[in-house]
């Protein structure tokens, strides 16, 4: 009897071991596609109009994590793209937004600005999954990044990409940066000479998809035993103010066609058994300037520059110093910490006084100070994760729903976007089984999932497990 029990026990253990093993297929190429402002509701609404090799193929043959989310808010394209690539939130990766106020000159600075190269990924403060591939392969694994938007292309490519390519919003031609190897510019120049006549007539998603496919072909990505990584950003944003069903339908049918092109042509060139595609969204949609007043919906305008001036006067009355407030950008106020330190004025006390003053302003729902965001463990992780103390302001103002923020000095309008947008994470390709997973998951798990697929380490700020 004991003999038979032992056999059964061994068989059971063996079965458990098999089930616990990760996918044994190591793809030669991973294609990571991020769709800016992808909305699951819109994607599913037009599913009957899609072909069979785009969204339908992904949803039918892939692992679909139906309820994805980011672990921080607010979001924009730059912060979302960087979070996916680093497997970490802005508190660790250093990219909380597309722009922020430079403490050096009190002017807005782009997240990809570089004094030497003009554009580079050097402001990312942690490694990305692309960087880890370069480290693991001693530079042999190829990494290329393609997007219509400069920030998206540069940020998702990481610090060590072989090339990042984007569309110049002025000339509409393709661009790269001197930060990348000279071969990237040489290849791009040759590419533009061959496609320029037809390329400019196509939509941005189509242009991005075509360059990405040609990048795979021309650089022989996925052709040897060393895994390569292609990073692509598409967009589900309508380029007209019209938000009609017809406009949305056109956007998603276009997306479907371009996903189909990417999947079919890359599978044909690399082999279906050698490639894995990962598709996700950015978790937000750009807020529109709605006419709430017309329909008696509570709304208003919060004037950040006036508020900053009043706050400065208030703090001057308390501390006898005139330049405690350095500046304001979007919903953030920056204090003159150098002055406070020189005058030996407690920053924590100033922040407390400032918060007590600002919460009384019309349209203000909440005020967060740097001390709260750094040290208050009772504060939501979603808010704390979005804050980087060396980059963001010292005071963050959250306005009431329906309110917008306006700076009369710079003429900039900021409309916070905090509505929940449903979007998925889809993994399709070699060794991936078809299944739907309804358990909520976070996007920071994409990077360690790619790492597991190609047998490398996750990015150095990533502390989460791969997707189940």
């Amino acid at each position: 009897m004991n003999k038979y029990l032992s056999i059964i026990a061994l068989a059971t253990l063996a079965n458990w071991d098999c089930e616990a093993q990760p996918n044994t297929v190591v793809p030669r190429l991973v294609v990571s596609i991020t769709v800016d402002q992808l909305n699951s509701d819109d994607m599913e609404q037009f599913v009957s109009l899609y072909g069979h090799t785009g969204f339908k193929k992904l949803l039918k043959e892939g692992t679909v994590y139906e309820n994805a989310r980011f672990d921080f808010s607010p979001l924009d394209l730059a912060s979302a793209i960087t979070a996916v690539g680093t497997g970490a939130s802005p508190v660790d990766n250093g990219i909380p937004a597309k722009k922020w106020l430079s403490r050096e000159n009190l002017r807005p600075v782009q997240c990809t600005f570089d004094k030497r190269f003009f554009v580079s990924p050097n402001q990312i403060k942690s490694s990305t999954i692309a960087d880890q591939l370069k480290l693991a392969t001693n530079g042999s694994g190829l990494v290329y990044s393609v997007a219509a938007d400069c920030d998206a292309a540069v940020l998702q490519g990481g610090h060590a990409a072989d090339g990042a390519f984007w569309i110049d919003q002025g000339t509409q031609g393709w661009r790269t940066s001197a930060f990348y190897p000279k071969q990237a510019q040489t290849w791009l120049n040759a590419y533009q000479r061959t496609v320029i006549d037809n390329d400019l007539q196509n939509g941005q998603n189509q242009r991005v998809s075509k360059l990405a496919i040609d990048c795979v072909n021309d650089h022989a990505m996925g052709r040897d035993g060393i895994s390569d990584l292609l990073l692509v950003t598409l967009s589900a944003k309508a380029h007209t103010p019209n938000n009609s069903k017809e406009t949305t339908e056109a956007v998603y049918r276009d997306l479907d066609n371009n996903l189909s092109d990417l999947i079919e042509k890359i599978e044909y060139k690399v082999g279906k058994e050698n490639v894995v595609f990962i598709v996700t969204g950015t978790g937000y949609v750009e807020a529109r300037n709605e006419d709430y007043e017309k329909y008696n919906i509570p709304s208003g305008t919060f004037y950040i520059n006036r508020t900053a001036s009043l706050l400065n006067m208030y703090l001057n009355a308390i501390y006898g110093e005139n330049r405690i407030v350095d500046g304001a950008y979007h919903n953030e106020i920056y204090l003159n910490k150098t002055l406070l330190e020189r005058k030996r004025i407690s920053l924590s006390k100033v922040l407390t006084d400032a918060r007590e003053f600002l919460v009384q302003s019309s349209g203000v729902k909440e005020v967060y100070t740097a001390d709260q965001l750094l040290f208050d463990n009772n504060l939501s992780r979603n808010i704390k994760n979005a804050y980087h103390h060396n980059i963001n302001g010292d005071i963050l103002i959250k306005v009431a729903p329906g309110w917008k923020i306006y700076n009369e000095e710079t003429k900039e309008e900021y409309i916070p976007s905090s509505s929940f947008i449903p979007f998925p994470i889809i993994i399709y390709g070699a060794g991936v089984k078809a299944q739907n997973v309804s358990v909520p998951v976070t996007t920071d798990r994409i990077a360690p999932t790619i790492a597991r697929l190609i047998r490398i380490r996750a990015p150095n700020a990533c502390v989460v497990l791969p997707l189940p």
Side-chain angles (χ1 to χ4, degrees), residues 31 67 72 77 89 112 141 143 188 197 207 215 243 254 304 461:
V31 182
N67 299 304
F72 65 94
L77 178 57
S89 49
T112 53
V143 174
L188 189 62
D197 291 336
R207 295 181 67 190
C215 195
N243 200 32
D254 172 71
I304 188 69

Side-chain angles (χ1 to χ4, degrees), residues 130-141 454-457:
D131 298 334
Q132 295 298 141
L133 175 61
K134 285 293 187 182
L135 286 168
T137 62
N138 197 26
S140 297
I454 56 179
R455 308 292 190 269
I456 64 172
R457 291 183 182 275

Side-chain angles (χ1 to χ4, degrees), residues 2-142:
N2 290 339
K3 172 183 168 183
Y4 291 114
L5 285 174
S6 298
I7 292 171
I8 292 169
L10 286 169
T12 303
L13 287 169
N15 187 50
W16 285 348
D17 186 61
C18 288
E19 290 180 353
Q21 290 299 312
N23 179 4
T24 56
V25 177
V26 179
R28 293 182 178 182
L29 176 64
V30 174
V31 182
S32 178
I33 303 171
T34 304
V35 182
D36 185 31
Q37 303 183 53
L38 177 67
N39 186 321
S40 291
D41 293 339
D42 291 334
M43 178 184 73
E44 293 167 3
Q45 181 180 6
F46 306 110
V47 71
S48 63
L49 303 176
Y50 301 149
H52 294 285
T53 53
F55 278 124
K56 282 185 178 178
K57 178 185 278 288
L58 293 170
L59 295 170
K60 182 180 179 182
E61 299 180 29
T63 294
V64 182
Y65 300 90
E66 300 169 348
N67 299 304
R69 65 177 180 83
F70 285 81
D71 67 343
F72 65 94
S73 179
L75 289 152
D76 64 6
L77 178 57
S79 60
I81 285 285
T82 310
V84 171
T86 60
S89 49
V91 67
D92 291 312
N93 67 39
I95 305 293
K98 182 182 182 70
K99 290 182 180 180
W100 52 80
L101 203 66
S102 166
R103 290 190 183 270
E104 292 181 9
N105 55 26
L106 299 179
R107 294 178 180 177
V109 60
Q110 197 82 6
C111 61
T112 53
F113 173 73
D114 186 287
K115 290 181 180 178
R116 179 183 174 189
F117 299 107
F118 299 106
V119 172
S120 87
N122 282 337
Q123 300 208 62
I124 306 174
K125 300 189 183 302
S126 63
S127 73
T128 69
I129 189 62
D131 298 334
Q132 295 298 141
L133 175 61
K134 285 293 187 182
L135 286 168
T137 62
N138 197 26
S140 297
L142 298 176

Side-chain angles (χ1 to χ4, degrees), residues 84-300:
V84 171
T86 60
S89 49
V91 67
D92 291 312
N93 67 39
I95 305 293
K98 182 182 182 70
K99 290 182 180 180
W100 52 80
L101 203 66
S102 166
R103 290 190 183 270
E104 292 181 9
N105 55 26
L106 299 179
R107 294 178 180 177
V109 60
Q110 197 82 6
C111 61
T112 53
F113 173 73
D114 186 287
K115 290 181 180 178
R116 179 183 174 189
F117 299 107
F118 299 106
V119 172
S120 87
N122 282 337
Q123 300 208 62
I124 306 174
K125 300 189 183 302
S126 63
S127 73
T128 69
I129 189 62
D131 298 334
Q132 295 298 141
L133 175 61
K134 285 293 187 182
L135 286 168
T137 62
N138 197 26
S140 297
L142 298 176
V143 174
Y144 284 96
S145 175
V146 188
D149 180 86
C150 170
D151 296 333
V154 172
L155 295 171
Q156 70 187 358
H159 301 90
D162 295 283
F165 310 112
W166 63 90
I167 297 173
D168 186 293
Q169 297 307 303
T171 66
Q172 292 300 304
W174 284 101
R175 291 284 303 275
T176 188
S177 167
F179 171 83
Y180 301 102
K182 290 182 180 179
Q183 295 92 320
Q185 185 67 68
T186 302
W187 177 81
L188 189 62
N189 290 342
Y191 175 82
Q192 296 208 92
R193 285 194 295 270
T194 61
V195 302
I196 191 166
D197 291 336
N198 296 323
D199 191 46
L200 291 174
Q201 299 173 17
N202 298 325
Q204 288 195 341
N205 282 341
Q206 188 174 351
R207 295 181 67 190
V208 168
S209 299
K210 176 171 172 41
L211 189 140
I213 292 165
D214 287 344
C215 195
V216 170
N217 295 341
D218 293 352
H219 295 99
M221 298 182 76
R223 311 296 170 78
D224 57 26
I226 300 173
S227 296
D228 300 324
L229 180 59
L230 175 68
L231 303 123
V232 180
T233 297
L234 301 176
S235 176
K237 176 185 175 182
H239 292 283
T240 64
N242 181 4
N243 200 32
S244 66
K245 180 180 178 180
E246 290 75 18
T247 301
T248 306
E249 176 188 321
V251 167
Y252 277 84
R253 292 183 75 170
D254 172 71
L255 260 178
D256 180 60
N257 288 334
N258 287 291
L259 285 170
S260 178
D261 265 358
L262 283 164
I263 294 168
E264 281 197 299
K265 291 177 180 177
I266 291 175
E267 282 189 336
Y268 175 78
K269 199 70 178 180
V270 178
K272 187 174 182 178
E273 70 282 3
N274 295 320
V275 60
V276 169
F277 295 84
I278 299 178
V279 180
T280 193
T282 51
Y284 79 101
V285 291
E286 288 182 359
R288 296 191 302 159
N289 197 351
E290 304 280 7
D291 189 2
Y292 288 119
E293 188 176 353
K294 180 179 179 181
Y295 299 100
N296 299 314
I297 300 170
S299 60

Side-chain angles (χ1 to χ4, degrees), residues 72-74 76 79 89-103 109 125 327-335 337 351 368-370 373-374 383-397 414:
F72 65 94
S73 179
D76 64 6
S79 60
S89 49
V91 67
D92 291 312
N93 67 39
I95 305 293
K98 182 182 182 70
K99 290 182 180 180
W100 52 80
L101 203 66
S102 166
R103 290 190 183 270
V109 60
K125 300 189 183 302
Y329 184 70
H330 284 171
N331 66 325
E332 303 184 13
I333 292 176
Y334 293 72
L335 300 182
K337 291 192 284 189
L351 289 172
Y368 303 107
T369 67
L373 292 161
L374 289 171
I383 297 169
K384 290 168 69 75
N385 284 344
Y387 183 78
H388 194 285
H389 68 284
N390 287 332
I391 296 170
N392 290 97
D394 303 293
I395 301 166
L396 276 60
I397 297 170
Y414 174 67

